[in-house]
mmCIF file with all atom_site columns, all heavy atoms in Angstrom:
data_model
loop_
_atom_site.group_PDB
_atom_site.id
_atom_site.type_symbol
_atom_site.label_atom_id
_atom_site.label_alt_id
_atom_site.label_comp_id
_atom_site.label_asym_id
_atom_site.label_entity_id
_atom_site.label_seq_id
_atom_site.pdbx_PDB_ins_code
_atom_site.Cartn_x
_atom_site.Cartn_y
_atom_site.Cartn_z
_atom_site.occupancy
_atom_site.B_iso_or_equiv
_atom_site.pdbx_formal_charge
_atom_site.auth_seq_id
_atom_site.auth_comp_id
_atom_site.auth_asym_id
_atom_site.auth_atom_id
_atom_site.pdbx_PDB_model_num
ATOM 1  N N   . ALA A 1 37 ? -13.539 2.243  -43.720 1.00 96.00 ? 507 ALA A N   1
ATOM 2  C CA  . ALA A 1 37 ? -14.182 1.676  -42.436 1.00 96.00 ? 507 ALA A CA  1
ATOM 3  C C   . ALA A 1 37 ? -15.456 2.419  -42.038 1.00 96.00 ? 507 ALA A C   1
ATOM 4  O O   . ALA A 1 37 ? -16.139 2.161  -41.077 1.00 96.00 ? 507 ALA A O   1
ATOM 5  C CB  . ALA A 1 37 ? -13.207 1.565  -41.290 1.00 96.00 ? 507 ALA A CB  1
ATOM 6  N N   . GLY A 1 38 ? -15.678 3.639  -42.884 1.00 95.00 ? 508 GLY A N   1
ATOM 7  C CA  . GLY A 1 38 ? -16.898 4.551  -42.453 1.00 95.00 ? 508 GLY A CA  1
ATOM 8  C C   . GLY A 1 38 ? -16.694 5.132  -40.978 1.00 95.00 ? 508 GLY A C   1
ATOM 9  O O   . GLY A 1 38 ? -17.628 5.238  -40.271 1.00 95.00 ? 508 GLY A O   1
ATOM 10 N N   . ALA A 1 39 ? -15.449 5.401  -40.626 1.00 95.00 ? 509 ALA A N   1
ATOM 11 C CA  . ALA A 1 39 ? -15.143 5.981  -39.306 1.00 95.00 ? 509 ALA A CA  1
ATOM 12 C C   . ALA A 1 39 ? -14.449 7.225  -39.349 1.00 95.00 ? 509 ALA A C   1
ATOM 13 O O   . ALA A 1 39 ? -13.734 7.614  -40.381 1.00 95.00 ? 509 ALA A O   1
ATOM 14 C CB  . ALA A 1 39 ? -14.242 4.933  -38.483 1.00 95.00 ? 509 ALA A CB  1
ATOM 15 N N   . ASN A 1 40 ? -14.612 7.940  -38.271 1.00 95.00 ? 510 ASN A N   1
ATOM 16 C CA  . ASN A 1 40 ? -13.847 9.306  -38.136 1.00 95.00 ? 510 ASN A CA  1
ATOM 17 C C   . ASN A 1 40 ? -12.292 9.157  -38.060 1.00 95.00 ? 510 ASN A C   1
ATOM 18 O O   . ASN A 1 40 ? -11.828 8.186  -37.515 1.00 95.00 ? 510 ASN A O   1
ATOM 19 C CB  . ASN A 1 40 ? -14.393 10.035 -36.916 1.00 95.00 ? 510 ASN A CB  1
ATOM 20 C CG  . ASN A 1 40 ? -13.909 11.395 -36.844 1.00 95.00 ? 510 ASN A CG  1
ATOM 21 O OD1 . ASN A 1 40 ? -12.733 11.578 -36.417 1.00 95.00 ? 510 ASN A OD1 1
ATOM 22 N ND2 . ASN A 1 40 ? -14.626 12.340 -37.322 1.00 95.00 ? 510 ASN A ND2 1
ATOM 23 N N   . VAL A 1 41 ? -11.562 10.060 -38.637 1.00 95.00 ? 511 VAL A N   1
ATOM 24 C CA  . VAL A 1 41 ? -10.075 10.017 -38.647 1.00 95.00 ? 511 VAL A CA  1
ATOM 25 C C   . VAL A 1 41 ? -9.537  9.891  -37.236 1.00 95.00 ? 511 VAL A C   1
ATOM 26 O O   . VAL A 1 41 ? -8.494  9.361  -37.032 1.00 95.00 ? 511 VAL A O   1
ATOM 27 C CB  . VAL A 1 41 ? -9.435  11.144 -39.307 1.00 95.00 ? 511 VAL A CB  1
ATOM 28 C CG1 . VAL A 1 41 ? -9.384  10.947 -40.984 1.00 95.00 ? 511 VAL A CG1 1
ATOM 29 C CG2 . VAL A 1 41 ? -10.035 12.448 -38.985 1.00 95.00 ? 511 VAL A CG2 1
ATOM 30 N N   . ALA A 1 42 ? -10.306 10.512 -36.299 1.00 96.00 ? 512 ALA A N   1
ATOM 31 C CA  . ALA A 1 42 ? -9.638  10.615 -34.935 1.00 96.00 ? 512 ALA A CA  1
ATOM 32 C C   . ALA A 1 42 ? -9.687  9.168  -34.225 1.00 96.00 ? 512 ALA A C   1
ATOM 33 O O   . ALA A 1 42 ? -9.002  8.991  -33.150 1.00 96.00 ? 512 ALA A O   1
ATOM 34 C CB  . ALA A 1 42 ? -10.379 11.672 -34.113 1.00 96.00 ? 512 ALA A CB  1
ATOM 35 N N   . LEU A 1 43 ? -10.505 8.223  -34.781 1.00 97.00 ? 513 LEU A N   1
ATOM 36 C CA  . LEU A 1 43 ? -10.686 7.139  -34.069 1.00 97.00 ? 513 LEU A CA  1
ATOM 37 C C   . LEU A 1 43 ? -9.536  6.146  -34.135 1.00 97.00 ? 513 LEU A C   1
ATOM 38 O O   . LEU A 1 43 ? -9.429  5.327  -33.213 1.00 97.00 ? 513 LEU A O   1
ATOM 39 C CB  . LEU A 1 43 ? -11.894 6.333  -34.502 1.00 97.00 ? 513 LEU A CB  1
ATOM 40 C CG  . LEU A 1 43 ? -13.264 7.042  -34.183 1.00 97.00 ? 513 LEU A CG  1
ATOM 41 C CD1 . LEU A 1 43 ? -14.468 6.484  -34.711 1.00 97.00 ? 513 LEU A CD1 1
ATOM 42 C CD2 . LEU A 1 43 ? -13.262 7.240  -32.594 1.00 97.00 ? 513 LEU A CD2 1
ATOM 43 N N   . VAL A 1 44 ? -8.694  6.227  -35.061 1.00 97.00 ? 514 VAL A N   1
ATOM 44 C CA  . VAL A 1 44 ? -7.434  5.443  -35.148 1.00 97.00 ? 514 VAL A CA  1
ATOM 45 C C   . VAL A 1 44 ? -6.670  5.752  -33.920 1.00 97.00 ? 514 VAL A C   1
ATOM 46 O O   . VAL A 1 44 ? -6.216  4.790  -33.210 1.00 97.00 ? 514 VAL A O   1
ATOM 47 C CB  . VAL A 1 44 ? -6.721  5.691  -36.427 1.00 97.00 ? 514 VAL A CB  1
ATOM 48 C CG1 . VAL A 1 44 ? -5.258  5.315  -36.324 1.00 97.00 ? 514 VAL A CG1 1
ATOM 49 C CG2 . VAL A 1 44 ? -7.375  4.907  -37.591 1.00 97.00 ? 514 VAL A CG2 1
ATOM 50 N N   . ASN A 1 45 ? -6.589  6.933  -33.663 1.00 95.00 ? 515 ASN A N   1
ATOM 51 C CA  . ASN A 1 45 ? -5.640  7.385  -32.540 1.00 95.00 ? 515 ASN A CA  1
ATOM 52 C C   . ASN A 1 45 ? -6.405  6.957  -31.322 1.00 95.00 ? 515 ASN A C   1
ATOM 53 O O   . ASN A 1 45 ? -5.773  6.507  -30.271 1.00 95.00 ? 515 ASN A O   1
ATOM 54 C CB  . ASN A 1 45 ? -5.389  8.842  -32.507 1.00 95.00 ? 515 ASN A CB  1
ATOM 55 C CG  . ASN A 1 45 ? -4.586  9.264  -33.707 1.00 95.00 ? 515 ASN A CG  1
ATOM 56 O OD1 . ASN A 1 45 ? -5.040  9.226  -34.885 1.00 95.00 ? 515 ASN A OD1 1
ATOM 57 N ND2 . ASN A 1 45 ? -3.285  9.456  -33.477 1.00 95.00 ? 515 ASN A ND2 1
ATOM 58 N N   . TYR A 1 46 ? -7.712  7.082  -31.295 1.00 96.00 ? 516 TYR A N   1
ATOM 59 C CA  . TYR A 1 46 ? -8.481  6.701  -30.017 1.00 96.00 ? 516 TYR A CA  1
ATOM 60 C C   . TYR A 1 46 ? -8.198  5.197  -29.805 1.00 96.00 ? 516 TYR A C   1
ATOM 61 O O   . TYR A 1 46 ? -8.003  4.818  -28.538 1.00 96.00 ? 516 TYR A O   1
ATOM 62 C CB  . TYR A 1 46 ? -9.926  6.902  -30.276 1.00 96.00 ? 516 TYR A CB  1
ATOM 63 C CG  . TYR A 1 46 ? -10.768 6.591  -29.066 1.00 96.00 ? 516 TYR A CG  1
ATOM 64 C CD1 . TYR A 1 46 ? -10.727 7.468  -27.793 1.00 96.00 ? 516 TYR A CD1 1
ATOM 65 C CD2 . TYR A 1 46 ? -11.649 5.582  -28.975 1.00 96.00 ? 516 TYR A CD2 1
ATOM 66 C CE1 . TYR A 1 46 ? -11.457 7.074  -26.811 1.00 96.00 ? 516 TYR A CE1 1
ATOM 67 C CE2 . TYR A 1 46 ? -12.346 5.219  -27.827 1.00 96.00 ? 516 TYR A CE2 1
ATOM 68 C CZ  . TYR A 1 46 ? -12.229 5.982  -26.712 1.00 96.00 ? 516 TYR A CZ  1
ATOM 69 O OH  . TYR A 1 46 ? -13.120 5.722  -25.711 1.00 96.00 ? 516 TYR A OH  1
ATOM 70 N N   . TYR A 1 47 ? -8.447  4.398  -30.772 1.00 97.00 ? 517 TYR A N   1
ATOM 71 C CA  . TYR A 1 47 ? -8.321  2.899  -30.370 1.00 97.00 ? 517 TYR A CA  1
ATOM 72 C C   . TYR A 1 47 ? -6.925  2.353  -30.474 1.00 97.00 ? 517 TYR A C   1
ATOM 73 O O   . TYR A 1 47 ? -6.617  1.367  -29.774 1.00 97.00 ? 517 TYR A O   1
ATOM 74 C CB  . TYR A 1 47 ? -9.217  2.233  -31.480 1.00 97.00 ? 517 TYR A CB  1
ATOM 75 C CG  . TYR A 1 47 ? -10.621 2.166  -31.251 1.00 97.00 ? 517 TYR A CG  1
ATOM 76 C CD1 . TYR A 1 47 ? -11.555 3.034  -32.018 1.00 97.00 ? 517 TYR A CD1 1
ATOM 77 C CD2 . TYR A 1 47 ? -11.152 1.605  -30.109 1.00 97.00 ? 517 TYR A CD2 1
ATOM 78 C CE1 . TYR A 1 47 ? -12.820 2.932  -31.773 1.00 97.00 ? 517 TYR A CE1 1
ATOM 79 C CE2 . TYR A 1 47 ? -12.658 1.668  -29.791 1.00 97.00 ? 517 TYR A CE2 1
ATOM 80 C CZ  . TYR A 1 47 ? -13.375 2.320  -30.523 1.00 97.00 ? 517 TYR A CZ  1
ATOM 81 O OH  . TYR A 1 47 ? -14.779 2.455  -30.430 1.00 97.00 ? 517 TYR A OH  1
ATOM 82 N N   . PHE A 1 48 ? -6.005  2.927  -31.232 1.00 97.00 ? 518 PHE A N   1
ATOM 83 C CA  . PHE A 1 48 ? -4.775  2.238  -31.437 1.00 97.00 ? 518 PHE A CA  1
ATOM 84 C C   . PHE A 1 48 ? -3.666  3.148  -31.066 1.00 97.00 ? 518 PHE A C   1
ATOM 85 O O   . PHE A 1 48 ? -2.430  2.696  -31.067 1.00 97.00 ? 518 PHE A O   1
ATOM 86 C CB  . PHE A 1 48 ? -4.616  1.822  -32.971 1.00 97.00 ? 518 PHE A CB  1
ATOM 87 C CG  . PHE A 1 48 ? -5.656  0.856  -33.297 1.00 97.00 ? 518 PHE A CG  1
ATOM 88 C CD1 . PHE A 1 48 ? -6.762  1.181  -33.983 1.00 97.00 ? 518 PHE A CD1 1
ATOM 89 C CD2 . PHE A 1 48 ? -5.531  -0.541 -33.086 1.00 97.00 ? 518 PHE A CD2 1
ATOM 90 C CE1 . PHE A 1 48 ? -7.793  0.302  -34.348 1.00 97.00 ? 518 PHE A CE1 1
ATOM 91 C CE2 . PHE A 1 48 ? -6.334  -1.438 -33.478 1.00 97.00 ? 518 PHE A CE2 1
ATOM 92 C CZ  . PHE A 1 48 ? -7.595  -1.094 -34.182 1.00 97.00 ? 518 PHE A CZ  1
ATOM 93 N N   . GLY A 1 49 ? -3.791  4.450  -30.844 1.00 96.00 ? 519 GLY A N   1
ATOM 94 C CA  . GLY A 1 49 ? -2.643  5.225  -30.414 1.00 96.00 ? 519 GLY A CA  1
ATOM 95 C C   . GLY A 1 49 ? -2.094  6.032  -31.520 1.00 96.00 ? 519 GLY A C   1
ATOM 96 O O   . GLY A 1 49 ? -2.275  7.244  -31.593 1.00 96.00 ? 519 GLY A O   1
#
Side-chain angles (χ1 to χ4, degrees):
Chain A
N510 185 280
V511 280
L513 289 178
V514 159
N515 295 71
Y516 181 74
Y517 281 112
F518 298 94

